[in-house]
Amino acid sequence: NLPDNAPARKWSFGNKVLAYAQSDSLDCRGFKQWKTVGRSVNKGESAAFILAPVTIKKTVVDANGDEDEVRACVNFKFIPVFAYHQTDGEDLGISYEPKELPPLADVAERLKVEVTWQPTPDDRMGDCDVDGSKVNIGTQDHKTFFHELAHAVRAKCNGSLADCDRAHEEIVAEFVGVVLMELYGYGDRTGNAWRYFEHYSKSPIKAIVKALGDVEAVLEVLEV
């Protein structure tokens, strides 16, 4: 979870996605906000930008003819923010990496896949760069790590995920995750995987069968 004093806790979902997409971090703050916790933005760092409303006072009249002053949004302005890794100063003790790394963490390193653990927006538990060079994990659940690692392997094998069949790639990655959870003795009896397959295909069984060749190829790269 984000630190209690992280400004992003109060941000809209849209601003969380904006900051995360631009900086690969959800804990982003402005110059002054970092100063208040003893850190300074490193020279030459590029800002991420979120949106803040521009408001004005407006007088409204209700049905009884009574006047009241309210604030109305008339526009939006861009606000520059920076991620923790773009700053230096006081050690805030912010670390999201699990105490015990999941199986295949060493394989990710061998494949030159950078793995970071940090809070992610509410619509995802992790994600992978289109070229497979980096994955972000927003949970310490091994299944998500396996899923995103599978995406990274597919990206490296195919050159990119940019023009891929999204549904097929998600089914491949999820099934790899299911297999690895079983192989390493974690298992998954929640039914979440099946719901995930149903989300991406009206015929999950057919989609899984179609994906099996690619699943096997990923497992071979991972050497499991």
Side-chain angles (χ1 to χ4, degrees):
N1 294 325
L2 282 167
D4 292 338
N5 65 344
R9 280 185 170 275
K10 300 178 181 179
W11 291 356
S12 67
F13 172 71
N15 273 338
K16 290 177 180 177
V17 172
L18 277 175
Y20 185 76
Q22 296 172 79
S23 69
D24 282 336
S25 177
L26 196 55
D27 189 6
C28 292
R29 315 183 191 197
F31 281 102
K32 292 182 179 179
Q33 290 172 326
W34 281 122
K35 285 284 189 183
T36 61
V37 293
R39 296 185 68 85
S40 300
V41 176
N42 297 327
K43 186 177 181 180
E45 293 287 357
S46 298
F49 290 90
I50 59 174
L51 291 170
V54 177
T55 62
I56 60 171
K57 287 184 178 180
K58 184 178 180 181
T59 301
V60 295
V61 181
D62 62 22
N64 297 322
D66 297 325
E67 294 185 353
D68 191 19
E69 263 194 357
V70 298
R71 299 204 70 87
C73 178
V74 295
N75 209 335
F76 288 89
K77 62 181 178 181
F78 287 108
I79 301 294
V81 292
F82 298 85
Y84 180 83
H85 65 261
Q86 295 177 294
T87 66
D88 192 24
E90 293 289 330
D91 182 3
L92 305 184
I94 298 176
S95 177
Y96 303 104
E97 185 173 309
K99 293 181 179 179
E100 183 178 343
L101 295 177
L104 301 180
D106 59 328
V107 176
E109 185 176 357
R110 171 173 62 79
L111 295 174
K112 294 182 170 52
V113 178
E114 181 185 352
V115 182
T116 59
W117 276 267
Q118 58 184 325
T120 51
D122 298 338
D123 65 336
R124 71 199 75 176
M125 296 302 292
D127 55 33
C128 174
D129 284 7
V130 293
D131 62 358
S133 62
K134 183 177 182 180
V135 297
N136 293 316
I137 311 296
T139 173
Q140 295 192 2
D141 174 42
H142 293 338
K143 174 75 171 298
T144 301
F145 169 74
F146 292 149
H147 180 108
E148 299 304 333
L149 181 58
H151 277 315
V153 171
R154 290 284 293 164
K156 287 182 175 292
C157 289
N158 297 330
S160 174
L161 293 175
D163 299 318
C164 69
D165 179 339
R166 170 74 184 281
H168 178 73
E169 295 301 328
E170 291 297 336
I171 288 171
V172 170
E174 187 67 8
F175 202 81
V176 168
V178 170
V179 172
L180 293 176
M181 289 291 281
E182 289 295 332
L183 284 177
Y184 287 103
Y186 299 115
D188 183 0
R189 303 293 181 264
T190 64
N192 290 337
W194 183 253
R195 285 190 287 272
Y196 198 86
F197 296 139
E198 288 183 318
H199 176 75
Y200 283 101
S201 175
K202 293 181 180 179
S203 302
I205 295 295
K206 290 182 179 179
I208 291 169
V209 171
K210 181 181 178 181
L212 288 179
D214 290 328
V215 169
E216 183 178 6
V218 171
L219 295 174
E220 287 179 358
V221 172
L222 297 175
E223 299 181 356
V224 296

